[in-house]
Amino acid sequence: MPLAQVRQLPQQFMAWFRKLRPAARWVVVSAAALALAGLVALALAGRSGPQWAPLFTQLDPTDAAAIAGQLEEQGIPFQLAQGGQAILVPAEQVDRLRLDLAAQGLPRQGTVGLELLENMPMGATEFERQVQYLRGLQGELARTIGRLEGVEAARVHVVRPERSPFVSQQRPATAAVLVQLKPGAELEPEQVRSIMHLVASAVEGLKPEDVTVVDTTGRLLSAGVELAQEGTAVVPGDRFEVERRFEAELQRSLQTLLEQVLGPGNVIARVNAELNFDQQVVERHLFEPPADGGQGILRSIQELQETFTGQPAPGGVPGDSNIPTYPQVGGGTLDYQRSERTANYEVNQVVDRVQVAPGAVRRLSVAVVVNGDLTPERRQALQQAVAAAIGSDPQRQDQVEVVAMPFDTTVADRLQQSLEEERQAREATRRVALLAGAGGLALLALVLLVAAWRRRRLARRLLEAQAAGHGLPAVPGSTAGTVAAGPAGRGTAAVPGPGGPVPGPAGAAATGANGKAAEATVLEQVSELVKNQPEHVAQVIRSWLAERSAN
C-alpha cells in the first residue's frame, strides 16, 4: 500500500465515523473499549502466571531424562518443549538450576567421559579398565569437538590394536569422528585438519592421517584435507596460498613504486615467486687450535718402558731339526732398553647447527609492461629499480623484464564514456525533477491563492447579499453602504435596499477599515450566519446565483 494512502487512512476513518448516527458511534466506541480492555486483561493474566524460560535446549533423551528426574526430586515445576529436547523452568530459577546441574555433570550431551573411572569396582580386571578408559576418552573427545563453532554434536570411535612383541606385526591406531553440523554451517578444511590433529594428539600412537572425519550426510570431510608431510613445516595445500600472498604483496609494492614514477594506469607489474618449503638442518663441526698458541688441555698420557739384561737365546733356523745348522760363535750379555710416551691434548671444537626455516625464496620472475615508448637508458634505469625493489639475487638466477608497448584502452574509453553518459543522464533527470517539483509547488501555491481569494470574495458577497435582503450588518470595509445609527444601540452599516439605506441599531460607528482583523470578522460572521440561519443563507446563495445567471 502506498505511503500516501496509509496517511489518508485516519482521515478516511474520521470521515466514516462522522457519517454514522449517534447510536452507531456509541456502538463503535464501546466495541473498541471492550477490545482494549480484553487485551489489557490478557497481558495482566500472562504476567500473573510464572514466566517460563528454557533451561536447556537440544538435549539428548538420556540427558533430558536425567535432568527431569533431578527437577522432580527438588520439587521444581518444569515443562517439556521441542519434542522433549528442551526443558522450561521458571525464569527466576534458571541460573541457579544451571549451576546445580553443572555440579552434577549434567547435561552430558548424551556422552560419558572419564567420570566412568570413578565408579570402577575394586575387582575390575585390567581389560575392563582399558575398555572404560577408552569409552571415557572417546566421550571427552566428543565433548571437546562439540564445542567447536558450527558443530552441534560429535561422536568419536578409537581403535587401539593389541600390542605385539614383534615390531613387524604392530598395527597403527585409527579413529573415526562423526560430526553433526548446525543448520547452514560448513566446516572449513582448516577446522577439519584441527579435528584430526586434536584426536591424534589425545590418543597414543595415533597419526593425523589415520583419523577419518565424516558428517551426518555421509560426506568424507577428511578426504579433501592435506596434512603436512614429514620433513616439511607447511601443508601442501597451503603452499600455493603462501606463494600467492607473497606474490600479491610484492606485486602491490612494485606497482605502487612504478605508478608514482610513470603515473596511474601506465604500468602493469606481475610477479612469479618460487619458494622453498623444505626444512633443512645443517650441522658443522669446526676444530680450532688453542687461542694461547699452546698445546691445549692434556686429556690422557700413555707411557711404555721395556728393559732386558742377560744372555741371548741360542739361535737357529726355524724349521725341521734334521736340517743341519751351523752353531753361532760368540757370547756375552745383552742389555736392551725401550721407552715410549703418548700424550693426548683436547682441541677447540665448534659445533654449528643451523636450521633453515621453510619459505625461503628460490627464484623470482618479474615482468613490467609500460605504456608508450622507452629509451634504452630509461628502460635500463627502470630494470635496475625493479631489481632493487624485489631484492633480485644473481645467484638465484632471478629474471626481470621491462617491456614498452602501447596499451589498448578501447574498453576503458567505452566504459568511461558510458559512465559519463549515465552521469549526464542522472544530472538531466535531477534537473527535470527539480523543475517539475518547483512548477508543481508554484501551481499549488497559485491554486491555494485563487481558492483563498474566491473564498473571501464569496464571503463578502454573501454578507452583502444577506445584509441587503434582511437588514444584516454589511462587510466591514465594504463600499456597498454607509454607517447609520439605530435604536437598538448596536452599530450597523446601512446598505442599499429597495427603498434606500436600511438603518440598523445604534452603536459605535464602523469605520470600514481594511485589514486582517476585518477579514477575520467577515469569516466569523459568515460562520455565525450559517449556524444560526441556514435557511436564510441558502436563500441568499440562490438569489446570488439567480442574479449571476440573469446578468
PDB file of all heavy atoms in Angstrom, residues 50 52-56 71 76-82 84 86-90:
ATOM      1  N   PRO A  50       3.594 -17.835  36.069  1.00  0.00           N
ATOM      2  CA  PRO A  50       5.060 -17.945  36.033  1.00  0.00           C
ATOM      3  C   PRO A  50       5.589 -17.726  34.616  1.00  0.00           C
ATOM      4  O   PRO A  50       5.008 -18.194  33.640  1.00  0.00           O
ATOM      5  CB  PRO A  50       5.316 -19.381  36.522  1.00  0.00           C
ATOM      6  CG  PRO A  50       4.055 -20.114  36.203  1.00  0.00           C
ATOM      7  CD  PRO A  50       2.934 -19.127  36.347  1.00  0.00           C
ATOM      8  N   TRP A  52       8.053 -18.746  31.946  1.00  0.00           N
ATOM      9  CA  TRP A  52       8.865 -19.917  31.645  1.00  0.00           C
ATOM     10  C   TRP A  52      10.042 -19.509  30.758  1.00  0.00           C
ATOM     11  O   TRP A  52       9.890 -18.723  29.821  1.00  0.00           O
ATOM     12  CB  TRP A  52       8.035 -20.999  30.943  1.00  0.00           C
ATOM     13  CG  TRP A  52       6.889 -21.501  31.776  1.00  0.00           C
ATOM     14  CD1 TRP A  52       5.597 -21.101  31.722  1.00  0.00           C
ATOM     15  CD2 TRP A  52       6.960 -22.474  32.802  1.00  0.00           C
ATOM     16  NE1 TRP A  52       4.840 -21.758  32.643  1.00  0.00           N
ATOM     17  CE2 TRP A  52       5.652 -22.632  33.325  1.00  0.00           C
ATOM     18  CE3 TRP A  52       7.984 -23.246  33.347  1.00  0.00           C
ATOM     19  CZ2 TRP A  52       5.355 -23.511  34.355  1.00  0.00           C
ATOM     20  CZ3 TRP A  52       7.691 -24.134  34.367  1.00  0.00           C
ATOM     21  CH2 TRP A  52       6.385 -24.268  34.870  1.00  0.00           C
ATOM     22  N   ALA A  53      11.196 -20.039  31.067  1.00  0.00           N
ATOM     23  CA  ALA A  53      12.422 -19.774  30.304  1.00  0.00           C
ATOM     24  C   ALA A  53      13.121 -21.104  30.046  1.00  0.00           C
ATOM     25  O   ALA A  53      13.054 -22.025  30.872  1.00  0.00           O
ATOM     26  CB  ALA A  53      13.356 -18.815  31.049  1.00  0.00           C
ATOM     27  N   PRO A  54      13.783 -21.240  28.897  1.00  0.00           N
ATOM     28  CA  PRO A  54      14.461 -22.517  28.603  1.00  0.00           C
ATOM     29  C   PRO A  54      15.673 -22.738  29.513  1.00  0.00           C
ATOM     30  O   PRO A  54      16.545 -21.888  29.612  1.00  0.00           O
ATOM     31  CB  PRO A  54      14.871 -22.367  27.136  1.00  0.00           C
ATOM     32  CG  PRO A  54      14.947 -20.899  26.911  1.00  0.00           C
ATOM     33  CD  PRO A  54      13.900 -20.287  27.789  1.00  0.00           C
ATOM     34  N   LEU A  55      15.690 -23.887  30.146  1.00  0.00           N
ATOM     35  CA  LEU A  55      16.840 -24.274  30.960  1.00  0.00           C
ATOM     36  C   LEU A  55      17.940 -24.862  30.080  1.00  0.00           C
ATOM     37  O   LEU A  55      19.088 -24.444  30.156  1.00  0.00           O
ATOM     38  CB  LEU A  55      16.409 -25.278  32.025  1.00  0.00           C
ATOM     39  CG  LEU A  55      17.507 -25.778  32.972  1.00  0.00           C
ATOM     40  CD1 LEU A  55      18.082 -24.626  33.776  1.00  0.00           C
ATOM     41  CD2 LEU A  55      16.976 -26.881  33.885  1.00  0.00           C
ATOM     42  N   PHE A  56      17.575 -25.832  29.234  1.00  0.00           N
ATOM     43  CA  PHE A  56      18.484 -26.408  28.244  1.00  0.00           C
ATOM     44  C   PHE A  56      17.670 -26.711  27.002  1.00  0.00           C
ATOM     45  O   PHE A  56      16.469 -27.031  27.087  1.00  0.00           O
ATOM     46  CB  PHE A  56      19.155 -27.694  28.760  1.00  0.00           C
ATOM     47  CG  PHE A  56      20.089 -27.471  29.915  1.00  0.00           C
ATOM     48  CD1 PHE A  56      19.732 -27.871  31.192  1.00  0.00           C
ATOM     49  CD2 PHE A  56      21.315 -26.866  29.737  1.00  0.00           C
ATOM     50  CE1 PHE A  56      20.580 -27.667  32.263  1.00  0.00           C
ATOM     51  CE2 PHE A  56      22.174 -26.656  30.790  1.00  0.00           C
ATOM     52  CZ  PHE A  56      21.806 -27.055  32.061  1.00  0.00           C
ATOM     53  N   LEU A  71      14.909 -32.456  38.657  1.00  0.00           N
ATOM     54  CA  LEU A  71      13.929 -31.404  38.944  1.00  0.00           C
ATOM     55  C   LEU A  71      12.747 -31.949  39.746  1.00  0.00           C
ATOM     56  O   LEU A  71      12.216 -31.260  40.637  1.00  0.00           O
ATOM     57  CB  LEU A  71      13.435 -30.790  37.631  1.00  0.00           C
ATOM     58  CG  LEU A  71      14.498 -30.024  36.806  1.00  0.00           C
ATOM     59  CD1 LEU A  71      13.889 -29.519  35.508  1.00  0.00           C
ATOM     60  CD2 LEU A  71      15.063 -28.871  37.609  1.00  0.00           C
ATOM     61  N   ILE A  76      10.692 -28.855  41.658  1.00  0.00           N
ATOM     62  CA  ILE A  76      10.664 -27.642  40.830  1.00  0.00           C
ATOM     63  C   ILE A  76       9.786 -27.908  39.615  1.00  0.00           C
ATOM     64  O   ILE A  76       9.982 -28.905  38.903  1.00  0.00           O
ATOM     65  CB  ILE A  76      12.095 -27.261  40.386  1.00  0.00           C
ATOM     66  CG1 ILE A  76      12.948 -26.959  41.619  1.00  0.00           C
ATOM     67  CG2 ILE A  76      12.075 -26.062  39.431  1.00  0.00           C
ATOM     68  CD1 ILE A  76      14.401 -26.715  41.300  1.00  0.00           C
ATOM     69  N   PRO A  77       8.796 -27.065  39.344  1.00  0.00           N
ATOM     70  CA  PRO A  77       7.943 -27.285  38.168  1.00  0.00           C
ATOM     71  C   PRO A  77       8.723 -27.056  36.879  1.00  0.00           C
ATOM     72  O   PRO A  77       9.597 -26.195  36.806  1.00  0.00           O
ATOM     73  CB  PRO A  77       6.830 -26.243  38.335  1.00  0.00           C
ATOM     74  CG  PRO A  77       7.431 -25.171  39.178  1.00  0.00           C
ATOM     75  CD  PRO A  77       8.397 -25.852  40.104  1.00  0.00           C
ATOM     76  N   PHE A  78       8.402 -27.840  35.864  1.00  0.00           N
ATOM     77  CA  PHE A  78       9.080 -27.700  34.580  1.00  0.00           C
ATOM     78  C   PHE A  78       8.121 -28.145  33.484  1.00  0.00           C
ATOM     79  O   PHE A  78       7.106 -28.810  33.734  1.00  0.00           O
ATOM     80  CB  PHE A  78      10.368 -28.530  34.540  1.00  0.00           C
ATOM     81  CG  PHE A  78      10.144 -30.019  34.626  1.00  0.00           C
ATOM     82  CD1 PHE A  78      10.000 -30.795  33.485  1.00  0.00           C
ATOM     83  CD2 PHE A  78      10.078 -30.652  35.867  1.00  0.00           C
ATOM     84  CE1 PHE A  78       9.792 -32.159  33.570  1.00  0.00           C
ATOM     85  CE2 PHE A  78       9.871 -32.015  35.959  1.00  0.00           C
ATOM     86  CZ  PHE A  78       9.726 -32.775  34.810  1.00  0.00           C
ATOM     87  N   GLN A  79       8.450 -27.770  32.270  1.00  0.00           N
ATOM     88  CA  GLN A  79       7.679 -28.150  31.092  1.00  0.00           C
ATOM     89  C   GLN A  79       8.637 -28.640  30.021  1.00  0.00           C
ATOM     90  O   GLN A  79       9.775 -28.191  29.934  1.00  0.00           O
ATOM     91  CB  GLN A  79       6.871 -26.964  30.542  1.00  0.00           C
ATOM     92  CG  GLN A  79       5.764 -26.482  31.456  1.00  0.00           C
ATOM     93  CD  GLN A  79       5.002 -25.325  30.838  1.00  0.00           C
ATOM     94  OE1 GLN A  79       5.348 -24.832  29.767  1.00  0.00           O
ATOM     95  NE2 GLN A  79       3.941 -24.887  31.508  1.00  0.00           N
ATOM     96  N   LEU A  80       8.150 -29.581  29.198  1.00  0.00           N
ATOM     97  CA  LEU A  80       8.922 -30.106  28.082  1.00  0.00           C
ATOM     98  C   LEU A  80       8.485 -29.431  26.789  1.00  0.00           C
ATOM     99  O   LEU A  80       7.290 -29.173  26.590  1.00  0.00           O
ATOM    100  CB  LEU A  80       8.756 -31.616  27.956  1.00  0.00           C
ATOM    101  CG  LEU A  80       9.235 -32.448  29.151  1.00  0.00           C
ATOM    102  CD1 LEU A  80       8.968 -33.931  28.915  1.00  0.00           C
ATOM    103  CD2 LEU A  80      10.733 -32.223  29.393  1.00  0.00           C
ATOM    104  N   ALA A  81       9.427 -29.142  25.926  1.00  0.00           N
ATOM    105  CA  ALA A  81       9.151 -28.494  24.643  1.00  0.00           C
ATOM    106  C   ALA A  81      10.069 -29.082  23.596  1.00  0.00           C
ATOM    107  O   ALA A  81      11.013 -29.823  23.913  1.00  0.00           O
ATOM    108  CB  ALA A  81       9.341 -26.980  24.752  1.00  0.00           C
ATOM    109  N   GLN A  82       9.770 -28.772  22.343  1.00  0.00           N
ATOM    110  CA  GLN A  82      10.555 -29.246  21.198  1.00  0.00           C
ATOM    111  C   GLN A  82      10.658 -30.766  21.173  1.00  0.00           C
ATOM    112  O   GLN A  82      11.711 -31.337  20.911  1.00  0.00           O
ATOM    113  CB  GLN A  82      11.959 -28.627  21.204  1.00  0.00           C
ATOM    114  CG  GLN A  82      11.983 -27.115  21.108  1.00  0.00           C
ATOM    115  CD  GLN A  82      13.393 -26.553  21.147  1.00  0.00           C
ATOM    116  OE1 GLN A  82      14.366 -27.302  21.184  1.00  0.00           O
ATOM    117  NE2 GLN A  82      13.510 -25.240  21.121  1.00  0.00           N
ATOM    118  N   GLY A  84      10.507 -32.896  23.625  1.00  0.00           N
ATOM    119  CA  GLY A  84      11.300 -33.456  24.711  1.00  0.00           C
ATOM    120  C   GLY A  84      12.759 -33.068  24.675  1.00  0.00           C
ATOM    121  O   GLY A  84      13.518 -33.488  25.555  1.00  0.00           O
ATOM    122  N   ALA A  86      13.840 -29.885  24.885  1.00  0.00           N
ATOM    123  CA  ALA A  86      14.026 -28.646  25.643  1.00  0.00           C
ATOM    124  C   ALA A  86      13.224 -28.745  26.936  1.00  0.00           C
ATOM    125  O   ALA A  86      12.137 -29.337  26.982  1.00  0.00           O
ATOM    126  CB  ALA A  86      13.587 -27.428  24.839  1.00  0.00           C
ATOM    127  N   ILE A  87      13.761 -28.164  28.006  1.00  0.00           N
ATOM    128  CA  ILE A  87      13.126 -28.149  29.323  1.00  0.00           C
ATOM    129  C   ILE A  87      12.967 -26.702  29.747  1.00  0.00           C
ATOM    130  O   ILE A  87      13.938 -25.940  29.758  1.00  0.00           O
ATOM    131  CB  ILE A  87      13.952 -28.940  30.350  1.00  0.00           C
ATOM    132  CG1 ILE A  87      14.022 -30.417  29.950  1.00  0.00           C
ATOM    133  CG2 ILE A  87      13.354 -28.800  31.746  1.00  0.00           C
ATOM    134  CD1 ILE A  87      14.825 -31.268  30.898  1.00  0.00           C
ATOM    135  N   LEU A  88      11.722 -26.307  30.089  1.00  0.00           N
ATOM    136  CA  LEU A  88      11.409 -24.948  30.522  1.00  0.00           C
ATOM    137  C   LEU A  88      11.168 -24.942  32.017  1.00  0.00           C
ATOM    138  O   LEU A  88      10.487 -25.833  32.553  1.00  0.00           O
ATOM    139  CB  LEU A  88      10.172 -24.413  29.789  1.00  0.00           C
ATOM    140  CG  LEU A  88      10.206 -24.476  28.254  1.00  0.00           C
ATOM    141  CD1 LEU A  88       8.914 -23.921  27.671  1.00  0.00           C
ATOM    142  CD2 LEU A  88      11.402 -23.716  27.714  1.00  0.00           C
ATOM    143  N   VAL A  89      11.703 -23.958  32.711  1.00  0.00           N
ATOM    144  CA  VAL A  89      11.539 -23.793  34.156  1.00  0.00           C
ATOM    145  C   VAL A  89      11.205 -22.335  34.420  1.00  0.00           C
ATOM    146  O   VAL A  89      11.320 -21.477  33.530  1.00  0.00           O
ATOM    147  CB  VAL A  89      12.834 -24.198  34.904  1.00  0.00           C
ATOM    148  CG1 VAL A  89      13.127 -25.676  34.715  1.00  0.00           C
ATOM    149  CG2 VAL A  89      14.004 -23.354  34.448  1.00  0.00           C
ATOM    150  N   PRO A  90      10.730 -21.988  35.625  1.00  0.00           N
ATOM    151  CA  PRO A  90      10.511 -20.572  35.945  1.00  0.00           C
ATOM    152  C   PRO A  90      11.754 -19.738  35.703  1.00  0.00           C
ATOM    153  O   PRO A  90      12.881 -20.148  36.009  1.00  0.00           O
ATOM    154  CB  PRO A  90      10.124 -20.609  37.431  1.00  0.00           C
ATOM    155  CG  PRO A  90       9.489 -21.958  37.606  1.00  0.00           C
ATOM    156  CD  PRO A  90      10.243 -22.874  36.695  1.00  0.00           C
TER     157      PRO A  90
END
